[in-house]
Amino acid sequence: MSRADAGAAVRSQSERSQDERNQHQTNQGRPDQDETAGLLSVTLNVNGQARQLDLDPRTSLLDALREHLRLSGTKKGCDHGQCGACTVLVNGRRVNSCLSLAVMHEGDEIMTIEGLGDPDDLHPMQRAFVDCDGFQCGYCTPGQICSAVGMLAEAEAGWPSHATADVAAPQVVLTDEEIRERMSGNICRCAAYPNIVAAIRGIAEGGTE
Amino acid sequence: MRSFTYERAADAGSAVAAVSRAGAKFISGGTNLLDLMKLDIEKPSHLVDISRLPLREIEELPDGGLRIGAQAANSDVAADTRVRTRYPVLSEALVSGASGQLRNKASTGGNLLQRTRCPYFYDTAAGCNKRDPGSGCSAIGGFNRIHAILGASSSCIATHPSDMAVAMTALEAEIELLDVDESVRRVGITDFYRLPGDTPHLETVLRPGEMITAVLLPPPPPGRQLYRKVRDRASYEFALVSVAAVVSVGQGTIDAARVAFGGVAHKPWRSPEAEAALTGRPATMATYRDAAEAALRDAVGQGGNDFKIELAKRTLCRTLAQAARSS
């Protein structure tokens, strides 16, 4: 399946979820307030497609993706910005979607693991994680992969890290120490770290791409 | 999370007007505020989104300094070439804090205003004068390994968690504030923060409704800049102790020095005592040790954090030695 077809698959899945979402919103018990009072309209550009949602302002970007758009590839781990399982790319930058209000992302380009690739058309980073066995249970993996894609763009732009000896150096050499430091916002309870580092190193060195 | 209403501020003037209503708060990156709202510690009834205000730029100042817009992301400040070459201590401090994801969201103004990570502040079942004035301090006599050794009070022994603000303190940054009447004032970062005293819920001199619009860095001070952070994990952890130092050495003698500590007090802790003990003295370990003793002379441990006093001294000595070597 091509990347465009993957987008179509995401769309059809999303269209199916439209009814579910309406049902979800109707069924959601909020005894303290009127069902629709205070909902705000927001349009997110998710994986290349504009998606209009009416949301309680409290809705995190993570919950908007998972519960309203039914894009459950993005995982909820700690829900407090400590584990990185919810990492998505917003306008190309990796962020914790659990610590983001969806209504603050009007018009933003959101890329989730579903947008990066699918089983028939894996993103090179997804392929590298498979090839290197960079996971065990897999729960942190979508966040690890989105984070790694964002991280490589940061390194490409010359951003220093805590592992960089001279922050003024114009270029970054992605040693294992650099990769580990830059990926420290993604926890893997199975401790697949050596293979995660290997997968990312392979892409950083252009081995798999 | 409690319900709230939301609006996106169109400009700075309407932002300060909007936040002056009772229960309103600014939100920018949200990485600290939303966490605390989920835990029912922050309870705003109205959020004013200032993340899209045109305050993201990092600009040259006529005097050779830099103006960092309050909405500039921590990652953008850390990666800015001018910051990296002229204010490396600030870049080093920023990349030593949080994670890549959080730095991409967190704003400069929000970093300055982040709340303490005292576990009793987070535990709504515990007494905390900062969270709930008058309810006592459960950290005193409790598990206080991460708590303050300088400037604490019988009301509060919490520490300020920012790394960025420690570097900015050593750089003598000024905070630019926009008031509700749209007047602008500047406050030196050391005066911006309060010590806990008997009002630990008041952490800065911000007036109700006032908004941080920029951080102004004076021209870089002469000498080598360094940030060293000591913590329980190698990455993605708050400081037990950190040191921002600027040291200028000529012919074996320290010409000028700036020292600020993180993780030891309710605010980034500038140490004029250490600076006086360094200036004009030979760049030797004996001098560094004298400076460390001077800096920590009034330090008081709380039991669990007694080790921090010696840790702060050793961290300062090692940072100074490294700075002087490469100065």
Side-chain angles (χ1 to χ4, degrees):
Chain A
M1 191 188 288
S2 72
R3 203 61 60 77
D5 291 339
V10 171
R11 271 193 296 282
S12 62
Q13 183 193 351
S14 306
E15 280 152 15
R16 277 200 306 280
S17 73
Q18 184 75 31
D19 291 340
E20 296 169 12
R21 194 180 81 230
N22 292 341
Q23 194 178 7
H24 170 78
Q25 290 199 337
T26 312
N27 292 345
Q28 202 167 31
R30 277 201 293 269
D32 57 328
Q33 64 180 72
D34 184 278
E35 286 294 331
T36 55
L39 294 189
L40 296 177
S41 173
V42 61
T43 300
L44 308 174
N45 195 323
V46 181
N47 299 330
Q49 192 192 5
R51 305 299 303 275
Q52 191 272 327
L53 295 170
D54 296 313
L55 297 175
D56 184 304
R58 290 173 289 186
T59 312
S60 67
L61 177 59
L62 173 61
D63 284 345
L65 293 169
R66 286 182 56 86
E67 308 297 335
H68 295 264
L69 295 176
R70 289 290 189 259
L71 292 170
S72 57
T74 307
K75 301 305 182 199
K76 182 180 280 192
C78 68
D79 209 25
H80 287 277
Q82 297 172 2
C83 75
C86 69
T87 302
V88 299
L89 299 167
V90 175
N91 301 327
R93 291 191 173 192
R94 53 181 174 154
V95 302
N96 303 99
S97 62
C98 74
L99 290 183
S100 309
L101 292 179
V103 292
M104 291 179 72
H105 288 286
E106 174 69 36
D108 282 348
E109 303 273 345
I110 317 292
M111 179 70 81
T112 70
I113 192 70
E114 291 93 339
L116 281 180
D118 65 34
D120 297 319
D121 182 27
L122 292 179
H123 184 280
M125 190 65 78
Q126 292 173 311
R127 167 58 58 198
F129 269 66
V130 173
D131 291 345
C132 295
D133 206 13
F135 48 83
Q136 185 170 305
C137 82
Y139 196 80
C140 73
T141 311
Q144 297 276 2
I145 290 174
C146 287
S147 183
V149 170
M151 183 277 280
L152 288 186
E154 295 166 6
E156 183 72 23
W159 291 13
S161 85
H162 181 62
T164 309
D166 176 10
V167 293
Q171 288 194 323
V172 173
V173 180
L174 276 184
T175 60
D176 284 4
E177 189 192 1
E178 281 276 8
I179 293 171
R180 287 175 185 278
E181 164 60 29
R182 289 166 190 265
M183 292 296 293
S184 70
N186 293 84
I187 310 296
C188 173
R189 289 286 70 178
C190 307
Y193 298 113
N195 295 359
I196 292 170
V197 172
I200 298 171
R201 189 200 311 125
I203 297 295
E205 293 169 351
T208 318
E209 200 149 31
Chain B
M1 190 187 295
R2 292 173 193 233
S3 62
F4 55 85
T5 49
Y6 166 88
E7 72 175 281
R8 188 177 303 131
D11 53 56
S14 56
V16 289
V19 90
S20 57
R21 75 189 241 194
K25 280 190 95 73
F26 292 125
I27 185 165
S28 179
T31 54
N32 191 208
L33 179 59
L34 291 172
D35 184 29
L36 293 171
M37 286 168 65
K38 289 181 184 194
L39 296 166
D40 210 26
I41 296 164
E42 294 275 12
K43 305 165 193 172
S45 56
H46 184 64
L47 286 182
V48 180
D49 178 358
I50 55 173
S51 64
R52 299 193 183 206
L53 295 181
L55 297 170
R56 303 187 77 89
E57 300 301 312
I58 303 171
E59 300 163 308
E60 296 280 354
L61 290 171
D63 66 356
L66 277 186
R67 176 194 164 91
I68 300 170
Q71 296 308 318
N74 287 180
S75 53
D76 283 324
V77 179
D80 186 275
T81 305
R82 295 160 296 185
V83 174
R84 283 155 64 188
T85 53
R86 283 150 56 186
Y87 305 95
V89 67
L90 177 54
S91 191
E92 289 171 10
L94 279 163
V95 296
S96 77
S99 66
Q101 290 96 314
L102 291 170
R103 292 192 294 270
N104 278 340
K105 286 207 84 213
S107 69
T108 301
N111 188 317
L112 289 171
L113 296 181
Q114 63 180 307
R115 311 297 304 276
T116 184
R117 264 59 175 193
C118 172
Y120 299 102
F121 174 73
Y122 272 75
D123 178 2
T124 52
C128 173
N129 290 318
K130 183 182 285 297
R131 171 171 38 75
D132 184 12
S135 65
C137 174
S138 295
I140 296 174
F143 290 96
N144 47 39
R145 187 167 183 276
I146 68 167
H147 290 78
I149 52 175
L150 287 163
S153 73
S154 58
S155 294
C156 180
I157 59 171
T159 57
H160 195 270
S162 174
D163 293 293
M164 180 195 80
V166 179
M168 287 178 171
T169 297
L171 293 169
E172 297 185 346
E174 287 188 307
I175 317 294
E176 183 185 88
L177 305 171
L178 179 70
D179 210 341
V180 179
D181 63 5
E182 300 205 30
S183 64
V184 175
R185 66 175 176 139
R186 292 178 181 182
V187 180
I189 189 167
T190 300
D191 298 327
F192 179 72
Y193 291 109
R194 297 171 185 264
L195 286 176
D198 55 7
T199 54
H201 59 293
L202 301 175
E203 297 172 348
T204 69
V205 299
L206 273 172
R207 297 170 185 148
E210 219 171 13
M211 181 172 75
I212 301 172
T213 48
V215 173
L216 306 164
L217 298 181
R224 174 82 157 93
Q225 304 174 17
L226 263 187
Y227 190 75
R228 179 179 289 276
K229 180 172 179 177
V230 181
R231 46 186 159 174
D232 281 334
R233 291 190 298 238
S235 184
Y236 200 11
E237 177 61 286
F238 293 96
L240 290 168
V241 168
S242 70
V243 170
V246 186
V247 183
S248 175
V249 179
Q251 300 184 335
T253 300
I254 299 167
D255 300 323
R258 304 242 191 111
V259 171
F261 289 94
V264 298
H266 198 254
K267 59 190 277 187
W269 190 264
R270 181 91 182 259
S271 180
E273 299 85 356
E275 294 170 9
L278 292 166
T279 307
R281 299 278 308 280
T284 61
M285 190 51 76
T287 299
Y288 309 147
R289 192 69 203 181
D290 286 348
E293 294 297 337
L296 279 300
R297 186 163 296 136
D298 296 329
V300 178
Q302 299 288 338
N305 66 351
D306 293 349
F307 73 99
K308 273 193 178 187
I309 299 173
E310 182 60 22
L311 182 64
K313 292 177 184 176
R314 293 184 186 188
T315 306
L316 178 62
C317 288
R318 187 163 172 194
T319 309
L320 291 170
Q322 187 183 346
R325 257 200 315 277
S326 51
S327 174

